[in-house]
Amino acid sequence: MLLPPKAPALAEYVAPPIRAYRPGDTLFAGPTATLLAHNGEPLTGIGLDCLPDALAALLAHRPTGCLAVGAVSFDGLACRLTLCDTVTRAGPLPRQHHFRCGVNPVTITAVPSEEDYVKAVRCATDRIAAGELDKAVLARALSVTSARRLSVPGLLRHLGGHGYTFAVPIGTRRTLIGASPELLISRRTQDGVSTIVANPLAGSAPRGAGLAADRQAAEGLMASVKNRHEHRLVVEEVARALTPFCQDLHVPAEPTLLATPTLWHLSTLITGTLTDPAPSSLALATALHPTPAIAGTPTEPALALITELEGGGGVERGYYCGLVGWTDAAGDGEWALALRCAVLDGDRRLRLYAGAGIVADSDPAGELAETNAKFGVMLDALDVRPAR
Ligand SMILES: C=C(O[C@H]1C=CC=C(C(=O)O)[C@@H]1O)C(=O)O
């Protein structure tokens, strides 16, 4: 008797763009669509300042439909983009509720140690109290070695449905991979009118275990004066940077709550209509980057403190906190911040990154806990601990 083919169990399901992924491809999945760039022309070595013009010129000579997809480093000096004439498009990646049993044997080294990160946070709050700056985002890393072989598709399977999921080749057998909740900027043009969306996030609280604790965590975040201040600093700066390019800009007065699998965030959805001629999505990203969500404010002292404290602790941001996304020849595009991510080096070694916004009344232990919750996205994909 001929039996119908067995439908794949949910745990075995792999979304088509992940099934189609080959080493060296670039994948970028947003809330509405997934792009897979295969066999494109690599573009590296152009800094963010020159990138909008360089890409406009390059894309103008390519066939209609050609996109540039990839990443720009945090310092804006390096990029890894692919110019791809025929990007494969699919729907958004589904969120897969796999049972994760936390059994993957790995060794993890914190860089710097948790104690040293706490000291760095104290140092930052002292500098803020001394009036040198208002906010700095301090990051830490985890160096992970896996006993099991890791693969980009194997990790991507667990990163869908988190906002912006990405895999970008950034060197020989090195891939930036992650799932970020934060949209820096998107631009869309319809009937000659270009509209934008930016979704700054800042102010976070780990999700609670169980409904009551989770609700308490969300309500506590919404009511937190420290987190509202941390968030406001980002929204004000994003609005200030976008204002010269917009004929109208809507900035809600109050944040809302955004839930990710590991954290609650304060979120503000900023929308606007661009002036004519409209700057490209990448030109807008250049005007915005680095926002206080990933650097601090004012920008210069914040960047100096990051170099001093993170550099002293052995953290090199590289592409973490950079941009990841795409642009077309007309300048429409979508750029997320490269957060909740890792660099996969070969097939067993990973470097995970997470940071937290430090303001005057930051509690160092709380900021450490926040970074640990942020690592949860990638640790869960590695099956290092059970999902909530
Ligand atoms: C720097 C990170 O998050 C930023 C984005 C959202 C919320 C943040 C916060 O509450 O501190 C950070 O500003 C990270 O995830 O590594």
Side-chain angles (χ1 to χ4, degrees), residues 44 71 107 216 230 273 292 331 366 374 381:
T44 59
T107 56
Q216 201 179 1
E230 185 182 332
T273 305
K374 287 171 175 168

Side-chain angles (χ1 to χ4, degrees), residues 108-111 139-145 150 155 177 315-316 320 340-344 349-355 371-372 374-382 384:
I108 301 182
T109 310
V111 183
R140 47 190 289 253
L142 297 181
S143 240
V144 175
T145 306
L150 303 170
L155 292 169
I177 181 165
V315 180
E316 276 280 331
Y320 160 69
R340 319 296 145 82
C341 61
V343 173
L344 175 63
R349 287 192 304 147
L350 270 172
R351 184 96 152 169
L352 276 57
Y353 296 90
T371 54
N372 279 331
K374 287 171 175 168
F375 284 131
V377 172
M378 288 304 302
L379 291 176
D380 190 36
L382 283 164
V384 169

Side-chain angles (χ1 to χ4, degrees), residues 135-140 180-182 200-205 221 226-227 230-231 234 263-266 291-295 317 320-321 337-341 353-358 367 370-371 374-375:
K135 173 180 176 179
V137 178
L138 286 188
R140 47 190 289 253
S180 170
E182 186 158 355
L201 307 178
S204 311
L221 176 63
K226 175 249 169 196
N227 281 293
E230 185 182 332
H231 186 73
V234 184
L263 288 141
W264 288 105
H265 291 298
L266 294 180
T291 74
I294 40 140
R317 288 196 181 190
Y320 160 69
C321 283
L337 293 175
L339 303 173
R340 319 296 145 82
C341 61
Y353 296 90
I358 313 302
E367 303 297 356
E370 186 178 313
T371 54
K374 287 171 175 168
F375 284 131

